[in-house]
Amino acid sequence: MSDSEDGMSSEDEKFRFKPTFDLCELPAEVLKRVKALKNLQFGNIKHEVEYYHEIHKLDLKYKKLYDENNEKRKQIYLGDYEPTEKECEWKDEGDDIVGEIKKLEIEDKKEGNIKGIPNFWLTVFQNANETLLNGMFEKIDEPIFKHLEDVTISLPEKNIGYIINFHFSANEFFTNTVLTKEYEMKSDIDPEDPLDFDGPEVSQSKGCKIDWKAGKNPTVKVIKQKVKQKGKGKGGQKFVTKQEKRESFFNFFTPPKIPEDPKTEVNEETQGFITEDIHVGLCIQEKLVPRAVLYFTGEAVEDESEFGDISGDEEEDDETEEDD
């Protein structure tokens, strides 16, 4: 027994964690009061369900306002609209406005007219790759993302889920103009376990079929192998081809299936894929699309990196204390 355990006072003993006990051990009148508390808890859960439905109504109301600004954002980075001098007035910390204007004038003379903001979404996804996308975005995806014109979010009227829409210009990789990823969510009370409600949760995610052009699918690696010939047959060398899965952001559109029964056992690897898929989808919806310009400039990444450094320092401090 350690010195700390030997020196434990009776006062400390009182506050040690007490394991779950059998409710049958409670006196009948106490058990009745516990059940009354459960009824109150159930009442709060019903309020919570209604709360999330009200939040969804607010989301739908403000989405129209967000969409108006995001449409203007799209027009600017695609070069369909040139913002006025007034609209361009924004002073960042450390800006030298006069110097920047002169620099832009010199660059304009050198480069000629540049339309919009080239490779806007490509840069956004590159910069957000580690912090939001868990490194899913690969080098092989970059030429395809040069054709990405917009990323929008659709909210169903009744369901609190969401759909992420990736809008592409005509390209040499696939024929689709829009790729979609849908997250269905449930925010209802389970009649079999009504007190288990813990807010909305993703019940299913659905990708879409991508109509890849021949040889352009980045999620598949084609390997060509020689066939070992028997005997002295005539003819040239024969080959067979086989396909292997390759890491690519476009695997995002073929998500793992979430079991309909929450009690179904899922192996650790599959559960990891499900968790990552839900996390990435939520990050795109809540962070990447609303704050796209800050991921383009890298400012959002810097903010999250600073927060991550703080967390890392805390972990190191904890380890140091344990060593002592």
Side-chain angles (χ1 to χ4, degrees), residues 54-70:
E54 291 298 316
I55 289 294
H56 184 61
K57 291 177 184 177
L58 280 175
D59 286 339
L60 291 170
K61 174 184 175 180
Y62 281 91
K63 180 181 180 299
K64 295 175 182 178
L65 302 176
Y66 297 145
D67 286 349
E68 289 177 9
N69 279 344
N70 290 345

Side-chain angles (χ1 to χ4, degrees), residues 192-215:
E192 294 184 6
D193 193 2
L195 300 184
D196 188 51
F197 180 80
D198 193 28
E201 59 182 6
V202 174
S203 58
Q204 200 59 256
S205 65
K206 300 177 182 178
C208 66
K209 183 179 182 297
I210 303 178
D211 298 317
W212 294 104
K213 295 181 180 180

Side-chain angles (χ1 to χ4, degrees), residues 209-228:
K209 183 179 182 297
I210 303 178
D211 298 317
W212 294 104
K213 295 181 180 180
K216 297 296 184 178
N217 186 348
T219 68
V220 173
K221 185 176 183 180
V222 179
I223 300 174
K224 192 175 182 181
Q225 293 180 329
K226 292 181 180 180
V227 177
K228 189 175 181 180

